[in-house]
Every structure is written in C-alpha cells, then in structure tokens.
Amino acid sequence: MFVLHVALQGCLRGGSVAFGLTADTGGHIRYLLDLVAASSQDAGIERIVMATRLFDGIHGPDYAVPEERISDKVELVRLASASPAYRSKEEMHAEVASFARNLTGWIGRQARAPDLIHAHYAEAASVARLVEDALGIPFVFTAHSLGRVKASILGAGAENGPDLAPRIAAEEGALARASLIIASSRDEAEVQYAGYAAYDPGRIRVLPPGSDLARFTAAEPLPRVDATIDRFLHDPSKPALLALARPVARKNLAALVRAYGESPDLQARANLVLMAGMREDIDALDGDMPATLREILVLIDRYDLYGRVAYPKTHDPEDVPAIYAYARTRGGVFVNPALNEPFGLTLLEASAAGLPLVATDSGGPNDIVETCGNGLLVDPRAPDAIAAACLRILDEPDLYAACVAGGARAAAAYDWDQHAARYHDLLRALLAPEPPLAVPRQLLVCDIDNTLVGCAASLGIFRRWRSRQAGLAFGVATGRSFHSAMAILEQQASPRPQVMITSVGSEIYHLDPNGVTYTADLAWRAVVSTGWDRSGVRAALADLDGLVPQGPLEQRGHKLSYFGDATTARAVLARLAQAGHRASVIHSHGRYLDVLPAAASKGTAVAHVRALYGLPERAVFVAGDSGNDVEMLRAQAQAIIVANYSDDLASHAALKHSYVARTSHARGIIEGVGHFRRMLADAG
C-alpha cells in the first residue's frame, strides 16, 4: 500500500522539528511524524510520502529543499504553491488550488499512484478533494483542530470573522467528501464535529494517537535545564506547576497565570514554570503569539509574581523529558489550561514522567483522564477552579499517588503500534470493501462488555466461528455510544458488526456498502423522538437525592445517564411519573442508570432491525449478561444469558425462556446459538 500524507501547515521536516517556531508548528506535526514512523514498520506498507509546502523565508533553508529522504520507505516532498513565503493556516486557503495542481502533477510523474491520501488539517483536505476529482484517489481526513471550535472558544474578535470562514468551509467540505474521518477522542467525534452541517457520526472513527513515552518514563533531571528554570525563582525547591505549550490564545496560559496570581495559597505552596515555546524576540513571532506573551508578562507584573514564576525564552526539544523530570523531582503538577485540547500528547508525556495532571475539560483530556485516572479536569475559563484543583492534588498525598499510578498506565493505553494496526486495517478495508449481507437469513445481536468482549480467548474462538456463518448478520447492542463501542470492538479485533444498536437502544447504525462506515437509522430516530422531552426529563430529575450525572460524553440526545442504586432508580421512576414524563429507566450493575425515551430499548431496537430485514422471530438470536440487557432478552424468544452474568439475570422472572450458557463471554454466545439451532432442527 502506498499512502500519501498531505500537511500544508507549519515548518515540517524529517527530524529536530522546531516546535513553537511558528504558531502552526505544533502537535499535528509531531502526530504526523510519529504516525508515519509507526506505519513504516508494517511490512504491507510499501511507500509513504509526506507532501508539504515549499517556502523561503526567515525560518531557515530546510523548508526550501524539494525532497528529503527519511528512510527507505518514507520521504518528504515539498511542492511550490502560489506564494513563495511562509503562510499561516488562516492564509493557507489561498494556496490550495496551486498546491493541488502541483501535487496532481507530481503524482502523475510517479511510477505508481498512491492508493489513498491522508489529509491533515482543513486546507489539506481541500487539496485532497481536488486531487480526487482529477485522479479518483480517495482520501481520509484528520482535522487536528477545528475552526468552528476555535471560533466558539475565542468569542468575538478579528480572528473570528472572515479569516475563519474559509477554514470552516473547508472543514465542511472535508466532512462531506472524505471516505473516513479519523478523530483523536470521543469529544472530537461526538461534540466538536457535531456543530457542522455535514456531521455524520458513522463516518468518524476514534483512534487515539500514540506517544513514544519510553524516553519520558526514564526522564531524569539535567543540571543545565534546572539552571535555566531556577534562575527565575527565589525558592527553586518548591513544587513546580509546569505548563508546556505554544503561546497562542487557545492554549490559555494567561488563565493559568491569573489562577496562580489570584491564589496566595497556591503561591505559598508552589512555583509556576511556563515553557511557552521558543523565542529570541517577541516581535519576531507570528500569529497571536506576541500578544499572548505580552499578556502573560503584564499579568506577572500585575500580580508581582517575580521570583515565583519562571518563563525561559527557549528550550531544546531534546530537553523536554528533563523539564518534566524537573517538576517531578519537586513533587509538582503538570497543568494544561487550553480552551480546547483536541488530544493532548503533552498530558501523556507528563504522566509517563510521573506527574499528576490538571487539565481542561474540553477535548481529548476527557478521554485521557477517564482512561488513566491520572488527574483532575477543570473548566479552563475558571481560574479559581484551576487553582483549587492544583492545591487539591498538592495537598492530598493519596490523590497525588493515585494520579501518578494512573499515569503509569498511559504507555499501554496510547501506543503508536496499536494505533497504526487499527489505522491500516481501516485503510485496507476501504480499498477492498466487504459489503454487508444484502439478504441475511438469520440475525445475532449481542451485548459488548462482558458478553462479546472480556475474554480474549473466547473472542478469538468467536471470530473464527463467525467467519463460517454464511447468511448470519451480526450486530451488537450496547449502552456505549457508537464511537465508544466501535473503539472497543476494533481494539479487541472483533468481527465488524452489520448493525450497531448503541446508547441502550436509543440509536441504530447500519454498515455501509464500503464495509467500513455506518449510516444512522433516521426512521428509528423518528420513532424514539416521539414524545421525548429531554430538557423536561433532565429538569425533573435535577434535584433528586442520590442521583449523580455521569460525564458529559455519556449524555446523548436520546439518553440521560446517571449513577444511582436500586432505591434511586425507583425514585427516578416515581419522579418522572409525578412530572408526567413517559420514559424508560434502565438500571444495571447496581450503579448505572439510564433514562431513555419510552420507545427506546435494546429490545425495541432489535425488533426494528428484525422487521427491516424481514426476518421471522425464530431467525433472531440475542445475548447479554446484565440488567442493561433485560429488555432485549425479554423481547426475543431465542435469548442467551452467558455464564458470567450479573444482576441475578438468570433468576429474572421475565427471562424464564432464556438459555443460560455453561460457558462465559463469547463462547457462551456460540453455545446459545447452537442450542437454539438444534431446537429448530428438532422441531422441523
């Protein structure tokens, strides 16, 4: 496979990237280089080319070199566009047409055309669209950050006007045309993209980036690095609140200075260390970096923080592990106060180096902290909340230790090799589609957690069994969102479902003919929307004792999710009846509580799919393990309860007809299907 990456922004070179040199020389370049390095290890990848802009100017001669060989498989190609000068992302739309012409010409000169293009950022997607129009090469898209999100977090201002309009239009075009959109987090897939007219959740996959964390895990202080920081501080032995980010407005470093400046307790407890990009002269920086740095310096002066805040002018990229080690050896905390962080590689690096986190609750940090348990999330617009979270971690030794322990799990959770394996599986599937069954003869729908997955050996057996089941359509029904469900299925190398019933039956997605993307079932959405008053239900339950909302990402348009015990579940039912709201309440595992439209459940969703396929009831099998699955198991005659069930499922009065398997997890599913098939054979 020959993959062509297109990345127009920033100062891209094969090694020793000068991160922070410009406002656009940041994490997306690191992402691209790490992805390419991991991809090149796959024997099935024959060639990788990164195409970027060629430009002259003040940033050095490297960026005017047409070709740069990185390895035997990987090369960097720089192509001219309309302007010979460096261009920021806000200016890049003017270079799209000329760059696309030159890229099309370059492809025409190759012995073999790329199989697929991967576009990074909106303008690269606009280039990819033009190339696809000319040559028919499909493309996938990674946004890295989104103009509409930037507009919302920065509010009114010059950058929020005409300058962002071309970028947002390019993003709409990318969403409408890309064969697949790759997101870094559920927040990106489910919240950030949702504001776009072309938003189609079934064409988005969440593939968290990896990170080369070994050098951060082994990070040790360097006297030279310590000295560059200590020279600013009266008492360098204090814990360090460390921030490492480019000084651009959306990174919100000024809010961290305000949080520190307005908290005498925090000033007494710790120093503040700001590693804000690299600069020789503030006036020589581009974009909003000069204004951002001046704001930081003004705040340091206003709060008279001299001797308590360090802000070195520059640092070498190779010194970053030692910077984290500086904070770790002083019992410090890493702080990311960005208004929105699409993913947050620095969070993983800091965690691997042994630092707890205080991070923005907007974007990828939600996924990282949920996965690793390595810090606290805060509203980045609330300086008092930032200060309170930092003090809490510093003052609670058990919490500090728990966050450090959670961070140690980051390397396993965010691995580039795993990312590349899933990424390549998706690319290969796009290039060699396996369409869904047009006329299935039978349908199997099973829960995911602790039913289909939970035992690797069982899933391996299921995978082989599934490959031999001609005429059987396979689906899942889960409490997870579509993107959460798809992520766990692909991580576990599950067979790809033909139908995805998600969010406890309130959403249904069907596999597209390309065998990779999915389309939402709009007819089902109309059914569950009837009589559903989400805001009214939420208001009715707002002050109910014992009812605790789950995280923002667990809340869906047709699902409200809480934590609560069985007593709380009964109270929810009573409160909703009292308020006149018709809704379904699903309680499972003793603590999860979902409130859905009255028409929504796994059971009614399976019935909808069965009718869509035109199958008789005896052709449908369902399998589950918990109270979350009761409605589905109750509604189908051929119901399977796997041996590792919970919530006393096998004793449930409405499930007497179910087959209780002797084997657990996916083997129990196979056992149950075999049982009912034998019954059908004996009966007929």
Side-chain angles (χ1 to χ4, degrees):
M1 184 162 49
F2 174 10
V3 180
L4 171 63
H5 294 269
V6 180
L8 305 184
Q9 294 179 24
C11 297
L12 174 60
R13 59 189 182 193
S16 299
V17 173
F19 293 107
L21 178 63
T22 70
D24 300 329
T25 305
H28 78 284
I29 288 178
R30 173 72 177 278
Y31 174 109
L32 173 58
L33 292 172
D34 285 352
L35 170 60
V36 165
S39 287
S40 68
Q41 301 306 306
D42 187 326
I45 304 296
E46 300 166 26
R47 185 183 183 193
I48 303 172
V49 173
M50 295 179 283
T52 191
R53 284 186 70 241
L54 182 147
F55 56 86
D56 297 315
I58 62 173
H59 300 307
D62 291 352
Y63 311 108
V65 176
E67 295 184 7
E68 182 180 342
R69 171 63 63 177
I70 296 174
S71 72
D72 59 339
K73 284 187 181 181
V74 181
E75 59 195 294
L76 176 60
V77 174
R78 297 185 180 91
L79 301 173
S81 60
S83 170
Y86 178 82
R87 287 289 179 256
S88 70
K89 62 170 153 296
E90 287 75 23
E91 303 167 315
M92 196 65 73
H93 61 276
E95 310 300 311
V96 165
S98 56
F99 187 90
R101 284 194 300 272
N102 289 335
L103 181 60
T104 301
W106 178 88
I107 292 172
R109 295 190 295 274
Q110 305 307 299
R112 174 190 166 196
D115 294 295
L116 188 138
I117 294 173
H118 189 157
H120 299 265
Y121 264 109
E123 289 73 18
S126 296
V127 168
R129 289 168 61 195
L130 293 172
V131 174
E132 185 176 33
D133 289 341
L135 303 176
I137 302 171
F139 74 96
V140 300
F141 173 56
T142 298
H144 296 285
S145 71
L146 290 164
R148 197 174 292 282
V149 174
K150 187 172 185 177
S152 67
I153 63 179
L154 294 182
E159 186 186 30
N160 197 24
D163 287 340
L164 280 177
R167 177 177 170 186
I168 292 170
E171 290 163 352
E172 288 281 14
L175 291 177
R177 279 283 297 277
S179 295
L180 186 71
I181 296 100
I182 296 176
S184 292
S185 68
R186 282 183 60 199
D187 183 88
E188 182 183 355
E190 298 176 3
V191 178
Q192 297 177 41
Y193 276 119
Y196 287 80
Y199 176 58
D200 182 355
R203 291 194 303 113
I204 302 173
R205 282 296 206 284
V206 178
L207 271 68
S211 186
D212 180 11
L213 299 180
R215 67 191 187 107
F216 300 101
T217 302
E220 293 295 336
L222 291 175
R224 170 176 50 80
V225 171
D226 291 0
T228 64
I229 299 172
D230 287 349
R231 65 193 176 93
F232 288 87
L233 304 171
H234 294 321
D235 183 0
S237 65
K238 281 184 177 182
L241 304 178
L242 171 64
L244 193 154
R246 288 170 293 134
V248 294
R250 74 177 184 86
K251 294 297 184 181
N252 203 31
L253 293 175
L256 176 56
V257 179
R258 287 192 187 92
Y260 186 75
E262 293 172 6
S263 174
D265 290 342
L266 195 55
Q267 293 172 43
R269 189 75 174 80
N271 291 317
L272 179 60
V273 177
L274 303 174
M275 308 302 293
M278 294 182 283
R279 62 190 184 277
E280 291 297 330
D281 185 336
I282 289 177
D283 289 330
L285 297 172
D286 70 350
D288 63 7
M289 292 197 290
T292 300
L293 278 167
R294 286 193 177 90
E295 182 182 11
I296 290 170
L297 295 175
V298 166
L299 289 170
I300 290 171
D301 189 74
R302 178 180 301 161
Y303 294 117
D304 194 18
L305 299 178
Y306 300 104
R308 285 166 286 180
V309 179
Y311 43 98
K313 291 181 67 172
T314 189
H315 62 275
D316 292 331
E318 293 76 15
D319 290 341
V320 171
I323 294 169
Y324 293 129
Y326 175 94
R328 183 196 68 220
T329 58
R330 288 159 177 79
V333 177
F334 184 76
V335 187
N336 180 332
L339 292 169
N340 176 267
E341 186 62 65
F343 182 65
L345 287 175
T346 56
L347 300 179
L348 298 180
E349 294 170 357
S351 286
L355 287 169
L357 310 176
V358 170
T360 176
D361 64 0
S362 176
N366 283 284
D367 287 23
I368 291 173
V369 171
E370 178 184 6
T371 299
C372 300
N374 51 350
L376 300 176
L377 299 174
V378 294
D379 180 350
R381 293 180 175 84
D384 57 339
I386 296 172
C390 291
L391 281 168
R392 184 183 168 197
I393 290 179
L394 291 172
D395 291 340
E396 296 183 20
D398 290 346
L399 176 60
Y400 193 103
C403 291
V404 171
R409 294 190 285 269
Y414 296 94
D415 176 77
W416 272 119
D417 291 337
Q418 293 178 34
H419 177 106
R422 288 183 59 200
Y423 170 67
H424 294 158
D425 284 346
L426 289 168
L427 298 191
R428 291 184 177 109
L430 283 172
L431 296 172
E434 293 185 13
L437 288 171
V439 186
R441 298 193 300 272
Q442 291 182 318
L443 170 67
L444 166 64
V445 178
C446 58
D447 179 48
I448 295 178
D449 294 281
N450 297 313
T451 301
L452 180 64
V453 306
C455 173
S458 292
L459 184 57
I461 294 168
F462 181 88
R463 195 182 302 117
R464 294 188 291 275
W465 174 84
R466 169 74 187 95
S467 68
R468 300 190 298 269
Q469 305 305 306
L472 176 70
F474 166 58
V476 296
T478 177
R480 292 176 178 265
S481 71
F482 170 83
H483 296 103
S484 175
M486 187 54 67
I488 192 70
L489 291 172
E490 290 181 346
Q491 287 166 7
Q492 300 289 328
S494 162
R496 185 164 290 131
Q498 178 161 333
V499 61
M500 300 272 291
I501 296 170
T502 63
S503 298
V504 204
S506 61
E507 300 174 17
I508 301 176
Y509 296 85
H510 299 282
L511 186 63
D512 292 329
N514 65 16
V516 175
T517 61
Y518 288 77
T519 296
D521 191 321
L522 299 183
W524 181 245
R525 184 180 298 171
V527 168
V528 299
S529 295
T530 303
W532 172 240
D533 179 6
R534 186 182 188 278
S535 60
V537 169
R538 184 178 179 183
L541 300 177
D543 61 348
L544 193 64
D545 289 342
L547 190 65
V548 178
Q550 293 183 32
L553 288 178
E554 304 311 318
Q555 313 304 329
R556 308 289 294 166
H558 295 84
K559 177 174 77 79
L560 292 167
S561 294
Y562 301 90
F563 297 109
D565 59 18
T567 301
T568 305
R570 290 190 290 271
V572 167
L573 284 166
R575 177 66 65 85
L576 292 175
Q578 182 183 16
H581 291 294
R582 292 182 64 248
S584 175
V585 177
I586 307 294
H587 189 245
S588 62
H589 298 287
R591 66 188 299 259
Y592 299 112
L593 198 155
D594 296 302
V595 183
L596 312 166
S601 73
K602 290 184 179 181
T604 54
V606 170
H608 175 85
V609 174
R610 179 174 71 82
L612 197 65
Y613 289 174
L615 294 173
E617 187 173 347
R618 66 180 181 277
V620 179
F621 312 98
V622 294
D625 72 289
S626 76
N628 193 282
D629 304 311
V630 168
E631 295 301 320
M632 176 174 70
L633 298 169
R634 182 207 309 264
Q636 298 297 322
Q638 300 183 132
I640 303 160
I641 300 174
V642 294
N644 56 297
Y645 64 83
S646 61
D647 297 331
D648 202 23
L649 206 61
S651 301
H652 197 291
L655 303 182
K656 299 294 186 184
H657 65 288
S658 299
Y659 175 76
V660 182
R662 296 183 300 276
T663 52
S664 68
H665 298 95
R667 282 182 294 182
I669 300 171
I670 299 170
E671 179 188 332
V673 171
H675 165 79
F676 285 116
R677 282 176 170 171
R678 286 191 297 273
M679 287 183 61
L680 288 171
D682 292 344

